[in-house]
Amino acid sequence: MTLVSRRLILVALAVAAALPSRALRAAEKPAEIRIDWATYNPVSLVLKDKRLLEQEFERDGIAIRWVQTLGSNKALEFLNAGSLDFGSTAGSAALVSRINGNPIKAIYVYSRPEWTALVTRKDSAIATVADLKGKRVAVTRGTDPHIFLVRALLAEKLTEKDITPVLLQHPDGKTALIRGDVDAWAGLDPMMAQAELEDGARLFYRKPEANTWGILNAREDFLKDHPDLIRRVLAVYEKARRYSLANYDDLKKTFISATKLPEAVVDRQFKERTDITYSRIGAAQRDSILAAGLALQQASVIAANVDIHRAVDDLIDDRLPLSGN
């Protein structure tokens, strides 16, 4: 036997020895799937209320752990820490987090929202973005409202240095505005709709196309280790989304039960500013997230040496099979 033949045999034996352990690791199922629910993702509330994931994975012995997230920043924080497998965010927030080293993939669209605008009190003299100069503005960093605010300021040749950002989670930002602790707020529904209808708050700056899509993200390692589970989760998500489209009254009832908000507030959010007819992630989401990324780079929120086009490609995984649009 030649030296080359012996080497080939040794390599083959090494590969064969590795196969069982790799196959075993790939076959291992997690004890639980950790997924978030959020008031800015109404489909998630239906998914949770109907226990659709619990029904899907019961036969596998996989539990479902639900975690509430109050904003994209919290969902991304939990994903990065490994305490969530799936998290709901805005597309732009996911991009910034991915650039900052969060190993996530955007895999699904749960809404096309106009969920953010710049808001002030009914008696405020603020009428334009330019009027924010020198003012106190409540904002939740790392979220679409924050990115929306930065882009709005940029259009007026202003930056966050021209205002006083007051860093609060979304519900607290709304409270601070109504109390008069801040002059304006980068709002988020449903709190924004509630402030409009119950307190007369004014949405003084709106730009629907600058609201990036509602995106479901998965941890990259979970996607690699459990592609079959990812596909099943998305199939169940689709079931909940389609049910929500066909059963508005039930969607509203579920949302009101979880949030204790009045019907009028929920109707304002869902009927006027939330479109859940989309599900497949693709070109439209790429374009929206890319535009946000380039604007943030221009505003120096993202470093000048970052390749935004590549970062968007790294974020979005549109290869997963999904029926629908």
Side-chain angles (χ1 to χ4, degrees):
M1 183 180 292
T2 66
L3 181 60
V4 172
S5 298
R6 288 174 182 168
R7 285 178 177 172
L8 288 174
I9 290 171
L10 289 172
V11 169
L13 289 172
V15 170
L19 284 175
S21 60
R22 289 178 183 171
L24 180 62
R25 186 178 64 184
E28 288 175 352
K29 302 293 185 186
E32 62 182 11
I33 292 174
R34 299 159 299 177
I35 189 165
D36 77 334
W37 67 276
T39 58
Y40 53 89
N41 176 2
V43 176
S44 70
L45 273 72
V46 172
L47 195 66
K48 179 175 181 289
D49 183 67
K50 301 297 182 188
R51 296 183 57 83
L52 299 177
L53 285 172
E54 285 84 350
Q55 295 168 27
E56 171 67 22
F57 291 103
E58 183 178 11
R59 65 180 183 271
D60 301 274
I62 298 175
I64 304 299
R65 183 194 295 183
W66 290 98
V67 178
Q68 183 180 12
T69 50
L70 297 177
S72 295
N73 62 325
K74 288 300 179 183
L76 291 163
E77 176 186 322
F78 296 157
L79 283 164
N80 198 30
S83 54
L84 272 182
D85 303 310
F86 299 87
S88 313
T89 75
S92 58
L95 175 66
V96 173
S97 189
R98 172 82 194 194
I99 289 170
N100 289 334
N102 195 346
I104 56 171
K105 287 286 189 179
I107 59 173
Y108 181 82
V109 174
Y110 59 79
S111 74
R112 183 181 188 179
E114 186 196 358
W115 50 20
T116 187
L118 301 185
V119 189
T120 192
R121 291 183 302 281
K122 60 183 177 182
D123 58 350
S124 171
I126 293 173
T128 68
V129 175
D131 294 335
L132 292 178
K133 190 170 183 178
K135 299 294 194 298
R136 291 168 58 84
V137 182
V139 63
T140 307
R141 282 207 188 280
T143 66
D144 219 29
H146 173 224
I147 294 166
F148 184 87
L149 171 64
V150 170
R151 295 175 72 180
L153 292 170
L154 179 64
E156 295 294 327
K157 296 182 170 52
L158 299 172
T159 72
E160 287 184 279
K161 293 179 181 179
D162 295 301
I163 65 172
T164 301
V166 179
L167 305 183
L168 297 167
Q169 281 299 134
H170 299 299
D172 298 325
K174 176 237 178 192
T175 300
L177 175 70
I178 301 307
R179 264 196 327 228
D181 296 338
V182 296
D183 303 294
W185 168 47
L188 181 74
D189 272 337
M191 289 76 70
M192 187 166 69
Q194 184 181 25
E196 276 186 286
L197 295 174
E198 295 182 357
D199 302 291
R202 291 188 292 109
L203 278 55
F204 69 90
Y205 179 76
R206 297 174 69 173
K207 192 173 184 180
E209 65 272 22
N211 290 245
T212 56
W213 297 71
I215 300 295
L216 185 70
N217 305 277
R219 288 190 297 108
E220 195 166 17
D221 59 351
F222 193 93
L223 181 61
K224 288 179 180 176
D225 291 343
H226 307 293
D228 57 326
L229 299 186
I230 293 275
R231 286 190 290 269
R232 288 169 64 187
V233 167
L234 292 190
V236 177
Y237 234 103
E238 265 295 270
K239 185 177 180 180
R241 185 188 67 83
R242 291 176 182 274
Y243 179 88
S244 301
L245 274 173
N247 298 274
Y248 176 74
D249 288 344
D250 199 20
L251 167 65
K252 182 165 69 171
K253 180 182 176 182
T254 300
F255 196 81
I256 290 172
S257 177
T259 63
K260 313 306 178 190
L261 290 171
E263 276 194 52
V265 170
V266 178
D267 283 336
R268 176 66 59 91
Q269 178 184 354
F270 288 173
K271 290 186 174 181
E272 298 183 23
R273 298 200 285 250
T274 304
D275 182 353
I276 59 172
T277 61
Y278 297 83
S279 58
R280 179 175 291 281
I281 195 164
Q285 293 73 41
R286 287 177 185 274
D287 291 346
S288 174
I289 295 170
L290 176 63
L294 293 172
L296 291 173
Q297 192 169 56
Q298 188 180 349
S300 300
V301 173
I302 296 175
N305 63 348
V306 173
D307 185 338
I308 302 297
H309 290 81
R310 181 173 178 178
V312 173
D313 288 341
D314 288 342
L315 171 68
I316 293 177
D317 190 331
D318 58 3
R319 299 169 299 172
L320 294 166
L322 186 66
S323 61
N325 51 59

